[in-house]
Amino acid sequence: MKEKIQAKKAYEEAMKRYESKDITGARTYLEEALKADPKDTELLNLLGLLHHLYCDFEKALRAWHKSISMARTGNKASEYLAYYSSEEFKTLQEVYMEGTKSLERKEYEKAYGIFAVLVDGNRNLVGVPLKMAECALGMKDKEKAKASLEEALLLDRNSRQAKELLSAMDNTQGAKMGLKRHPAVLLAVSALLMLALLVGFYQYRNLEKELQVLKQEQEALKIEAKGYQEEVDRLEALLQEMESGELEEEPVAENEVPKEEPLTGTEVEIFEEGLAAYRAEDFEKAIQHFTNVAEKGTLDAYRSEAVYFLSATYKKLLNVEKVKAYYDQYMLEFQEGNYYAEVLYHYGLLLYEEGDLIKAQEILKKIPEEVPESPYNNSRVAAVLAETE
């Protein structure tokens, strides 16, 4: 009881600091509080959120996974993890990593342009203006660096990195104030700075065009994947015709694993081994383990995860019918599961892309009706629901 009271006080104190734009102070306070109570889900969830704001995505993920391992139901970590599984976050992370790689390669103008595009839709992320400041310093553009650092301090008034960089810039500027300035030199420097700004703007505009092209290519890949699935279905039907005159054998459906030795270990161990195989892209092994948990397991928390990852695995294998089958099972059995809203969202949009508007709307309307607080209750869903045949 005493630990719970202390954890509650620690959470409230950290929230006060967070709300007063002191993310650094809140993070430090939470990390100390978790040393005393490392299993408190509220502390872990808030720490994960603060890591996310600093674009420490791996640390955020670890905090939320640890939280969900402590309590799977009624835990806000499930919403955060659902967001991290969404295409929206994956796009954000990919753009951020592309900017980081460009910065590491010292392609400062390109990196600055990427982060500038990213910051427009993510004004709450402290990590983005900090990266922009690093780029600007690499570009020798102290005004942009200062503006980015000041923006970071508006989000986290005690950001150590922002304060240290600003202090270093002020000291450098003060040292230069005593130097004599020659008018011709100043004119040349101004011209060079103007040229750099123009080049930077031109590259930034080009970057926007490149991002648009990437989006168009993604849509083209979706269409190509659909055509690939149709070809797979055609070949499967052809093989069945060729084998119809031979001795009957127990069929092995495409993308399914032949019978192997029975799996050993606990339900949790089998699931974790399947998850490791999924991450290693050993999809046959992943299917075998997830199927075992889904069909023979007794813990709904792990059965629901197994069914979800079966749908995700078959999605990787482009087996649309299997994906739909496991979406249907998840919707029927696990309406309180961590991925319920995500399954509704992706299943509805899959049907919509296939042209089945009525069934798509039937599934998507469950999101505002049953899980209205979910991040999947968005404008995309509203647009599909508003359509008429």
Side-chain angles (χ1 to χ4, degrees):
M1 178 64 73
K2 184 179 179 181
E3 287 180 351
K4 286 293 179 187
I5 294 173
Q6 289 176 338
K8 185 70 174 176
K9 289 181 178 178
Y11 177 81
E12 290 173 353
E13 177 60 29
M15 278 299 295
K16 285 180 184 176
R17 297 187 184 199
Y18 167 54
E19 289 169 355
S20 66
K21 305 298 183 184
D22 181 10
I23 295 176
T24 296
R27 278 210 297 185
T28 302
Y29 196 85
L30 285 170
E31 286 165 354
E32 288 300 314
L34 281 164
K35 290 178 182 178
D37 189 2
K39 297 182 179 181
D40 187 88
T41 57
E42 285 192 326
L43 297 179
L44 286 166
N45 290 343
L46 182 55
L47 181 61
L49 176 61
L50 301 184
H51 284 320
H52 171 77
L53 295 176
Y54 259 88
C55 300
D56 291 335
F57 302 129
E58 288 299 321
K59 288 183 179 179
L61 198 59
R62 285 199 296 271
W64 293 331
H65 271 306
K66 185 174 181 180
S67 173
I68 207 74
S69 70
M70 302 299 169
R72 288 189 169 269
T73 57
N75 188 342
K76 197 169 182 64
S78 62
E79 296 179 22
Y80 296 137
L81 291 172
Y83 171 65
Y84 264 39
S85 299
S86 69
E87 292 301 321
E88 180 183 349
F89 171 73
K90 289 174 184 176
T91 301
L92 183 155
Q93 187 179 34
E94 286 173 7
V95 174
Y96 182 83
M97 291 307 297
E98 182 60 32
T100 301
K101 289 175 183 176
S102 296
L103 176 58
E104 289 171 353
R105 294 192 294 263
K106 297 184 179 180
E107 298 170 354
Y108 299 120
E109 290 86 357
K110 179 181 178 181
Y112 186 89
I114 291 172
F115 290 122
V117 171
L118 190 60
V119 80
D120 282 341
N122 301 277
R123 290 285 176 185
N124 60 335
L125 296 180
V126 189
V128 178
L130 287 175
K131 288 290 186 185
M132 291 176 70
E134 289 184 54
C135 297
L137 288 173
M139 294 157 57
K140 311 298 183 185
D141 190 332
K142 292 191 175 181
E143 288 302 314
K144 282 186 177 180
K146 185 176 181 181
S148 295
L149 292 171
E150 288 173 347
E151 183 174 350
L153 286 171
L154 288 175
L155 297 168
D156 180 12
R157 57 188 171 87
N158 282 322
S159 170
R160 293 189 190 94
Q161 184 181 354
K163 286 186 172 182
E164 288 171 2
L165 287 173
L166 275 175
S167 177
M169 287 171 61
D170 289 341
N171 290 339
T172 304
Q173 188 67 26
K176 288 186 176 181
M177 289 296 289
L179 297 176
K180 293 182 179 180
R181 297 183 177 90
H182 193 284
V185 174
L186 287 175
L187 185 60
V189 170
S190 298
L192 286 172
L193 283 174
M194 182 59 71
L195 179 61
L197 286 172
L198 288 171
V199 171
F201 177 76
Y202 175 77
Q203 291 177 331
Y204 171 72
R205 297 300 299 173
N206 278 348
L207 178 64
E208 284 191 311
K209 292 178 182 177
E210 289 174 8
L211 289 173
Q212 287 296 325
V213 170
L214 283 173
K215 288 180 181 178
Q216 291 171 359
E217 289 176 351
Q218 284 180 336
E219 292 301 319
L221 284 172
K222 287 182 182 178
I223 295 170
E224 183 180 344
K226 187 176 179 181
Y228 174 76
Q229 179 59 38
E230 291 172 353
E231 180 64 12
V232 168
D233 291 342
R234 188 185 69 79
L235 290 172
E236 184 179 3
L238 182 61
L239 284 171
Q240 288 176 349
E241 289 176 6
M242 292 172 63
E243 294 173 355
S244 60
E246 298 177 2
L247 292 174
E248 289 190 7
E249 296 180 355
E250 185 175 349
V252 178
E254 186 178 39
N255 296 334
E256 290 185 350
V257 181
K259 287 186 177 180
E260 296 181 3
E261 291 297 319
L263 299 177
T264 58
T266 66
E267 183 176 342
V268 176
E269 289 170 342
I270 292 172
F271 174 80
E272 293 295 340
E273 193 170 345
L275 193 59
Y278 173 81
R279 289 170 177 162
E281 297 189 354
D282 186 351
F283 297 130
E284 288 188 348
K285 183 177 179 180
I287 289 171
Q288 182 191 18
H289 285 70
F290 292 145
T291 301
N292 181 283
V293 175
E295 294 180 355
K296 300 178 182 179
T298 57
L299 301 172
D300 277 351
Y302 282 92
R303 287 190 62 246
S304 65
E305 297 275 325
V307 171
Y308 169 79
F309 277 101
L310 278 167
S311 72
T313 305
Y314 280 112
K315 189 176 182 180
K316 294 275 189 182
L317 295 171
L318 303 177
N319 191 326
V320 178
E321 293 309 312
K322 282 288 188 181
V323 173
K324 290 180 182 178
Y326 285 111
Y327 279 167
D328 281 326
Q329 183 179 350
Y330 197 100
M331 287 170 51
L332 180 64
E333 296 186 38
F334 307 112
Q335 296 179 10
E336 300 297 324
N338 294 331
Y339 300 101
Y340 182 62
E342 183 178 349
V343 166
L344 293 175
Y345 182 78
H346 289 300
Y347 195 7
L349 292 184
L350 173 61
L351 293 167
Y352 177 75
E353 288 175 3
E354 290 181 341
D356 192 345
L357 178 61
I358 293 176
K359 192 169 181 183
Q361 290 177 332
E362 180 184 326
I363 290 172
L364 289 176
K365 73 179 182 180
K366 293 177 184 289
I367 295 177
E369 290 176 357
E370 299 177 18
V371 281
E373 300 302 320
S374 167
Y376 292 102
N377 186 18
N378 55 32
S379 58
R380 177 69 168 144
V381 171
V384 175
L385 291 176
E387 279 195 31
T388 56
E389 286 191 309

